[in-house]
Amino acid sequence: MFETVRNAFKIKDLRKKILYTLFILVVVRIGCQLPIPGVDADYISQWFADQNSLDFFNQLTGGSFERMSIFALNITPYITSSIILQLLTIAIPRLEELHKDGEEGRKKISEYTRYVTIALSLMESAAMAIGFASQDLLTGGATFSSITVCIVSMTAGSALLMWLGEQITEHGVGNGISIILLYNIVSRMPEDMSSLFNKFVKNATTTVNSLLAAVIIIAVLVGMVVFIIYLSDGERRISVQYSQKTRGRKLVGGQSSHIPLKVNTAGVIPVIFAGSLFSMPIVIANFAGVQPASGAGATFFQKCLKVLNQNAWCNLESWGEFKYTLGLVIYIVLIIFFAYFYTSITFNPQEIAMNMKKQGGFIPGIRPGKPTMDYLTNVLNSIIFIGAAGLSFASFVPIFVSGAFGADVSFGGTSMIIIVGVVIETLKQIESQMLVRHYRGFISE
């Protein structure tokens, strides 16, 4: 990895792209520190610090949600709108046609994604501004102007981040939105690592315990990274043979190829879907003044919120606290469900089988047409389960460590998967651009 980056800096064009990307990230970080005008930022920061159930949103926003900066919404509306458009592509024939139209169709879908992003930003910022006003958290009072300033600031911040991400994609390296998301997550990791060091290493009773804690922390982190790398790169290759055809006096075709089916076909989407479903009721309840709770005085709704709260899972202190780990079981089931659901709408075995048949391709030992579709479906179902199980394990380990040992960190399985996936894809893109610049071709020989 370091060698790839070092070699990239030797190429002037790539060096400019990397420096441009870093400059945009500096701008993003500055925006994350600018508070929204008219909002009592200190009180809100303290309030969010007491709400451990909101860690999921702080992960994705790099803490700007907690600080109530102009980038409080960050790129979450864009991610949500992208997912919505992907789902609607299957349900709406017009979007499906655009998806098949190539580059022009993708540009049109990107334009729709921007519109949906602005609409979601307006709705989310309006809900938050009205909630702040109802709790007297606006310094100018619950007036039309103060609420409007709050809404415009958050919506403009989200739109600006979307534009900055597109600029990175066009003029920098990697996918801009993914790079910003990666930067948000990584920006909170030094604080979390410092917290782990102070709690388990520095404050250990003996030197042996201190060294043992350090070794265990490093081993868990390295093991998780290696596991996620194998999960992200793992694939099942299905051999495809193309029959020879006579065109004029020549025989064409007859080559062999393969269909690469990734083990983790859905990527991190199932984890984000499941985490969002669990976090949204808690966020809405917190703005309404209702918090997750347990015990004799807690209502049924508060206990349900605690089941959804990841910070309440795997607590081994007592059975009364451990029973809320039921939420973890539901969480894993949802990850598996969304893995199958998302793959089913993005990968169509019937279309692949029909295209292979038209091009004279077949899988050795499998007849073209419906038998090929059934074979691809069976193989896909098997590897989806393996990928979903891997995602569930990657999400379970940080949650278990946090609940059982009190290792409270903002990054979890979702964050680790995003970090590893974005880094791998960015490095692959840099290597491909380096390869293009070193390739001269037979004409220049």
Side-chain angles (χ1 to χ4, degrees):
M1 180 180 73
F2 296 107
E3 184 179 355
T4 301
V5 176
R6 185 174 65 251
N7 293 333
F9 269 95
K10 296 178 182 179
I11 302 174
K12 183 178 179 180
D13 189 22
L14 270 178
R15 183 169 64 249
K16 286 183 178 180
K17 289 186 175 184
I18 294 175
L19 293 177
Y20 180 84
T21 303
L22 294 176
F23 172 75
I24 295 294
L25 293 180
V26 171
V27 174
V28 171
R29 202 59 202 161
I30 292 174
C32 290
Q33 310 300 322
L34 299 177
I36 298 173
V39 176
D40 191 351
D42 294 335
Y43 180 86
I44 292 178
S45 296
Q46 182 59 41
W47 183 72
F48 275 109
D50 298 333
Q51 307 297 320
N52 293 329
S53 56
L54 299 175
D55 285 344
F56 179 76
F57 288 95
N58 284 328
Q59 291 176 25
L60 301 182
T61 62
S64 58
F65 185 68
E66 182 180 9
R67 286 186 290 269
M68 276 298 120
S69 70
I70 59 174
F71 289 163
L73 297 180
N74 219 274
I75 56 173
T76 52
Y78 184 86
I79 295 174
T80 304
S81 64
S82 299
I83 294 173
I84 291 174
L85 262 296
Q86 284 183 337
L87 297 178
L88 291 179
T89 299
I90 307 301
I92 301 178
R94 170 59 180 166
L95 292 178
E96 187 176 1
E97 291 177 4
L98 289 175
H99 183 71
K100 295 178 180 179
D101 282 345
E103 186 64 25
E104 292 300 321
R106 284 192 290 270
K107 288 182 179 179
K108 202 66 178 178
I109 292 178
S110 298
E111 183 180 346
Y112 293 156
T113 304
R114 297 188 194 102
Y115 294 148
V116 176
T117 299
I118 299 300
L120 289 176
S121 300
L122 280 171
M123 289 188 292
E124 293 178 15
S125 58
M128 293 175 66
I130 295 173
F132 293 154
S134 64
Q135 299 183 33
D136 297 327
L137 297 180
L138 299 180
T139 56
T143 62
F144 176 78
S145 60
S146 60
I147 294 177
T148 302
V149 168
C150 188
I151 294 174
V152 171
S153 298
M154 286 189 281
T155 303
S158 180
L160 177 60
L161 269 181
M162 177 179 63
W163 180 79
L164 291 175
E166 292 179 348
Q167 295 306 303
I168 292 177
T169 303
E170 185 175 355
H171 304 292
V173 292
N175 181 281
I177 299 299
S178 300
I179 294 292
I180 292 176
L181 181 59
L182 168 68
Y183 185 59
N184 289 336
I185 296 172
V186 172
S187 65
R188 292 175 59 86
M189 292 185 69
E191 179 182 349
D192 294 327
M193 298 305 296
S194 176
S195 175
L196 288 177
F197 176 80
N198 292 331
K199 184 172 184 178
F200 295 102
V201 180
K202 185 177 180 180
N203 295 331
T205 55
T206 63
T207 305
V208 176
N209 291 340
S210 176
L211 292 174
L212 181 61
V215 170
I216 292 176
I217 291 173
I218 294 174
V220 170
L221 291 176
V222 173
M224 286 292 296
V225 170
V226 173
F227 175 77
I228 293 172
I229 289 175
Y230 276 102
L231 181 65
S232 301
D233 284 347
E235 64 181 22
R236 167 75 182 276
R237 296 186 176 184
I238 299 178
S239 299
V240 177
Q241 182 70 37
Y242 290 91
S243 57
Q244 291 185 336
K245 296 180 180 180
T246 303
R247 291 184 179 177
R249 296 181 179 181
K250 295 182 180 180
L251 286 175
V252 296
Q255 72 272 19
S256 297
S257 182
H258 67 270
I259 302 175
L261 298 180
K262 293 182 69 67
V263 173
N264 187 20
T265 311
V268 74
I269 296 298
V271 182
I272 293 179
F273 273 20
S276 299
L277 281 180
F278 272 56
S279 299
M280 190 58 64
I282 298 176
V283 173
I284 296 174
N286 277 326
F287 280 115
V290 181
Q291 300 179 8
S294 59
T299 63
F300 176 76
F301 182 67
Q302 287 178 311
K303 292 181 179 179
C304 290
L305 290 177
K306 191 162 185 178
V307 171
L308 301 179
N309 185 8
Q310 294 187 12
N311 295 307
W313 298 343
C314 300
N315 191 333
L316 304 179
E317 293 180 357
S318 64
W319 167 250
E321 295 296 328
F322 181 77
K323 64 183 180 182
Y324 293 102
T325 310
L326 172 66
L328 177 60
V329 178
I330 302 174
Y331 182 71
I332 292 175
V333 171
L334 282 178
I335 289 177
I336 297 175
F337 168 76
F338 283 125
Y340 278 95
F341 174 75
Y342 187 79
T343 304
S344 66
I345 64 175
T346 56
F347 187 91
N348 190 349
Q350 182 179 5
E351 182 178 353
I352 293 177
M354 292 299 102
N355 290 336
M356 287 173 53
K357 186 177 181 180
K358 292 177 182 178
Q359 298 171 7
F362 61 94
I363 300 173
I366 307 296
R367 294 176 58 189
K370 190 176 183 304
T372 298
M373 183 190 70
D374 294 338
Y375 176 78
L376 290 175
T377 302
N378 292 333
V379 173
L380 191 63
N381 288 336
S382 300
I383 64 174
I384 288 175
F385 182 78
I386 296 174
L391 282 177
S392 302
F393 178 77
S395 302
F396 166 77
V397 172
I399 292 173
F400 175 78
V401 172
S402 177
F405 303 104
D408 296 327
V409 292
S410 63
F411 63 90
T414 307
S415 303
M416 297 292 289
I417 295 169
I418 293 174
I419 290 172
V420 173
V422 174
V423 169
I424 290 176
E425 290 301 321
T426 304
L427 289 176
K428 286 182 178 179
Q429 182 173 341
I430 293 175
E431 289 176 349
S432 64
Q433 293 186 27
M434 291 171 60
L435 182 63
V436 169
R437 282 163 177 78
H438 287 297
Y439 178 72
R440 294 187 299 174
F442 68 92
I443 295 179
S444 61
E445 293 293 337

